[in-house]
Amino acid sequence: MSDPTHPTQLQPHQRARLTSLEQTVRDGLRDFRRTGQALSEIRDNEFFLATHDSFEAYLQDRWGFTAPQAGRLIDAADVAKVLEPLGIQPRNEAQARSYRAAAKVIEELEPEQQRVVARLVEVAAPDTQPQAEGEADGETDLPWDVPAAEVRIMASVVKKLNEDATVYHPDSGDEVSMGSLSTPERFEVIRTHVDQKTQAYREKQEAKANAPQAEKINWADWVLNTAAQNLSHGQRLEITVEPDGSGAARAVARIVDGGTGEVLSAGAGAVTLKKAVLNLAAELK
């Protein structure tokens, strides 16, 4: 909250900068990049101390933001800054943050390596889409729209194939060091590796999408329905929880003969009651 009795006095140039940054936030609430960058500078330079004890209190009082909201904006702006030299311009905060993993790898690359990634993005991007009637600038399907996971693959391959990496010559097929190749040959080798890994990733995603979906079971309802409809007289369905000897506990769901105590069927042990019941359901199938 505000503390007008003990404000931190800013120097004139700091006060002018704070005013400019706050105007940026005010004018740019729809522009996550400008807003995130402004909030980051206010936080890092502690300009908020002019009126508040903490950055969190400043956010809430001045802008109605929570700390996580501001953190996401700042994070998205940082990612967008890394992506900009590659020609990638996320449309919104959520899309920017989806590139976070890729941006992390890109930041670790040398400038020349980053330029190689930029070329790969340019090659992989679809053709420019014509602007539809009524669309404002920047709202079209832009040519840089390469999926975040694939940009990460590009950056990871470029990072891995350094000067000392052993690769196959793009023409002769001989094993050579990456550093012995010409610039065009290096790019061809990198592009081949990227294409292979991207294709494998796409096939994995397609297989995942086409895989049969596991049946969803409400485990509590399953227990009651199974007990009511499938157990014979004298049988019972029980769930036991016992220590596993390591300081934790494991649950086991099983069907037991009430007269003899014989375990008729049991699922594998699990660390949650839900998983224990689902294991028994799978066993009964």
Side-chain angles (χ1 to χ4, degrees), residues 32 37 56-57 128 133 230 243 259 282-283:
F32 72 91
Q37 289 166 6
E56 291 75 11
T128 304
E133 184 177 353
N230 300 306
E283 180 68 22

Side-chain angles (χ1 to χ4, degrees), residues 93-170:
E93 171 201 333
Q95 188 180 59
R97 287 190 292 111
S98 74
Y99 284 85
R100 183 190 300 147
K104 184 177 180 181
V105 180
I106 292 167
E107 285 184 300
E108 298 170 353
L109 301 179
E110 298 295 332
E112 179 57 36
Q113 292 176 308
Q114 292 181 4
R115 286 191 282 272
V116 173
V117 177
R119 285 187 62 196
L120 290 167
V121 169
E122 182 180 6
V123 170
D127 294 334
T128 304
Q129 302 283 334
Q131 183 168 309
E133 184 177 353
E135 281 188 325
D137 290 341
E139 293 182 356
T140 56
D141 291 328
L142 300 179
W144 49 258
D145 200 4
V146 180
E150 297 186 14
V151 174
R152 184 182 182 184
I153 289 173
M154 295 172 186
S156 297
V157 169
V158 170
K159 180 181 179 181
K160 182 179 180 180
L161 296 183
N162 54 35
E163 293 280 315
D164 299 326
T166 299
V167 298
Y168 293 104
H169 194 285

Side-chain angles (χ1 to χ4, degrees), residues 207-248:
K208 184 178 179 181
N210 294 332
Q213 297 298 311
E215 182 181 359
K216 294 183 179 180
I217 301 175
N218 183 309
W219 69 277
D221 288 346
W222 184 90
V223 168
L224 295 175
N225 291 335
T226 299
Q229 300 173 13
N230 300 306
L231 296 188
S232 302
H233 179 70
Q235 295 179 348
R236 64 174 180 265
L237 192 159
E238 58 183 35
I239 303 173
T240 61
V241 180
E242 299 175 351
D244 65 1
S246 67

Side-chain angles (χ1 to χ4, degrees), residues 55-66:
F55 185 54
E56 291 75 11
Y58 166 81
L59 290 171
Q60 184 61 51
D61 287 356
R62 190 76 176 85
W63 306 110
F65 289 169
T66 63

Side-chain angles (χ1 to χ4, degrees), residues 6-190:
H6 297 90
T8 296
Q9 296 297 321
L10 300 182
Q11 297 295 321
H13 71 281
Q14 293 175 315
R15 170 60 64 182
R17 184 56 181 163
L18 175 59
T19 299
S20 175
L21 291 170
E22 290 194 329
Q23 186 63 44
T24 295
V25 176
R26 185 180 299 107
D27 294 343
L29 287 177
R30 290 192 175 186
D31 184 338
F32 72 91
R33 281 163 290 203
R34 294 181 61 208
T35 302
Q37 289 166 6
L39 290 174
S40 177
E41 189 171 341
I42 291 171
R43 178 196 62 189
D44 295 345
N45 290 282
E46 297 187 336
F47 290 157
F48 58 85
L49 292 177
T51 54
H52 294 77
D53 292 331
S54 68
F55 185 54
E56 291 75 11
Y58 166 81
L59 290 171
Q60 184 61 51
D61 287 356
R62 190 76 176 85
W63 306 110
F65 289 169
T66 63
Q69 285 176 314
R72 288 192 294 269
L73 280 167
I74 292 171
D75 188 30
D78 289 342
V79 170
K81 185 176 181 180
V82 174
L83 298 177
E84 187 174 1
L86 308 183
I88 299 177
Q89 302 174 27
R91 297 179 178 87
N92 52 53
E93 171 201 333
Q95 188 180 59
R97 287 190 292 111
S98 74
Y99 284 85
R100 183 190 300 147
K104 184 177 180 181
V105 180
I106 292 167
E107 285 184 300
E108 298 170 353
L109 301 179
E110 298 295 332
E112 179 57 36
Q113 292 176 308
Q114 292 181 4
R115 286 191 282 272
V116 173
V117 177
R119 285 187 62 196
L120 290 167
V121 169
E122 182 180 6
V123 170
D127 294 334
T128 304
Q129 302 283 334
Q131 183 168 309
E133 184 177 353
E135 281 188 325
D137 290 341
E139 293 182 356
T140 56
D141 291 328
L142 300 179
W144 49 258
D145 200 4
V146 180
E150 297 186 14
V151 174
R152 184 182 182 184
I153 289 173
M154 295 172 186
S156 297
V157 169
V158 170
K159 180 181 179 181
K160 182 179 180 180
L161 296 183
N162 54 35
E163 293 280 315
D164 299 326
T166 299
V167 298
Y168 293 104
H169 194 285
D171 295 326
S172 68
D174 296 334
E175 288 191 353
V176 296
S177 68
M178 191 69 167
S180 68
L181 299 177
S182 66
T183 298
E185 290 171 339
R186 291 186 193 184
F187 184 77
E188 185 60 30
V189 169
I190 290 172

